Amino acid sequence: MKDKIKAIFFDVDGTLYSHRFHDIPESTKETMIKLKQQGYKIGISTSRCRYETKNLPRFFREFPFDAAFYDGGALVMEKNQMIHKAPIDKNALKKLLQMAEKDQIPLRYSTVEGDHFAYPCDWQIKDNFFKLYLNMPIVKPYEGEDVFNVLAYPKTKEHLEKIYSMQEEVNIVEHGDKTMEITAQHIDKSKGVAIMADRWNLTMDEIACFGDGYNDIEMLKHAGLGIAMGNGKDALKEVADIVCDAIDDDGIYKICRELQFI
């Protein structure tokens, strides 16, 4: 396995970045540095938009990642060059926005340069958002920009059903915290991995991926080696090739040592 893997992609929240400490574990930092020294290509695959990474620790912001997928795979960058984008269909987006406004479903959308609440929302959602990302979207009505990722916060079962009624038009991932992540149809993190594999002349079998959440399922299923964090969702662990220890228990460091990546 050591000689087979050429590139490694990491989810960010709950995989590289611990919300418990709002930092990257020291053992993970050490591992990332050693992986680069060993010649592996290193990338991130996150549902955060680019704007939402600006308050991550300095180590993260300065690390020489070879690639980054933002917005759940909808925006793919190699170093600082955008090489692929897949915005949500504008007709589908307008339908979703109209539904949200009518039913007062809080909704946040992201563009290349920022993230915004489409309408004012209650303080609990703002508070939870800040606790996760240490930044706060401003309220700005949609003005026709390309949108790559939407977070919807349904309050009722009816809200949930209305959003799921759009499954033929968009890709939907339901998280366990009453949050729905919406991207363009057929877009998920595995698409970003496939794009970079092709660009680097690698097969998917030569790529390892780490994750912890529902939106990492397709990525781990398609990777040559899918590794779920010990703190990850049970549904992710079921599709993973390996389950390592939790992020706060040096999971990444231990498994990379065990696999002789470092």
Side-chain angles (χ1 to χ4, degrees), residues 158-171:
E158 182 182 7
H159 289 171
L160 198 71
E161 292 172 349
K162 284 188 175 183
I163 294 173
Y164 269 124
S165 72
M166 296 186 63
Q167 276 185 304
E168 298 299 317
E169 301 169 78
V170 294
N171 182 61

Side-chain angles (χ1 to χ4, degrees), residues 7-21:
I8 304 173
F9 287 94
F10 297 94
D11 168 57
V12 175
D13 295 277
T15 301
L16 287 182
Y17 179 70
S18 171
H19 288 286
R20 181 181 176 188
F21 300 107

Side-chain angles (χ1 to χ4, degrees), residues 79-92:
K79 301 187 186 301
N80 292 318
Q81 178 187 0
M82 186 188 304
I83 62 171
H84 181 80
K85 63 177 183 177
I88 297 171
D89 176 80
K90 291 189 176 180
N91 289 328

Side-chain angles (χ1 to χ4, degrees), residues 237-249:
K237 294 176 182 177
E238 289 175 4
V239 305
D241 298 299
I242 298 172
V243 178
C244 68
D245 285 348
I247 180 173
D248 295 326
D249 294 326

Side-chain angles (χ1 to χ4, degrees), residues 39-139:
Y40 293 99
K41 289 186 178 295
I42 304 297
I44 57 165
S45 181
T46 179
S47 289
R48 290 187 184 225
C49 67
R50 294 173 66 202
Y51 179 81
E52 290 165 352
T53 64
K54 72 175 188 175
N55 289 326
L56 285 168
R58 181 177 177 178
F59 176 89
F60 180 94
R61 290 181 280 110
E62 295 183 352
F63 189 83
F65 291 108
D66 295 287
F69 319 146
Y70 301 99
D71 299 297
L75 187 63
V76 180
M77 301 188 71
E78 184 175 23
K79 301 187 186 301
N80 292 318
Q81 178 187 0
M82 186 188 304
I83 62 171
H84 181 80
K85 63 177 183 177
I88 297 171
D89 176 80
K90 291 189 176 180
N91 289 328
L93 180 63
K94 289 176 182 178
K95 180 178 175 180
L96 177 63
L97 287 163
Q98 290 169 357
M99 177 197 307
E101 183 176 26
K102 178 182 177 182
D103 292 341
Q104 294 297 293
I105 303 171
L107 186 150
R108 160 272 191 201
Y109 67 93
S110 69
T111 64
V112 172
E113 299 299 335
D115 62 338
H116 312 281
F117 286 120
Y119 318 105
C121 60
D122 57 44
W123 67 267
Q124 290 98 333
I125 289 174
K126 292 181 179 179
D127 187 51
N128 287 336
F129 199 97
F130 186 80
K131 286 177 180 177
L132 287 174
Y133 303 121
L134 300 181
N135 68 271
M136 182 65 63
I138 62 171
V139 176

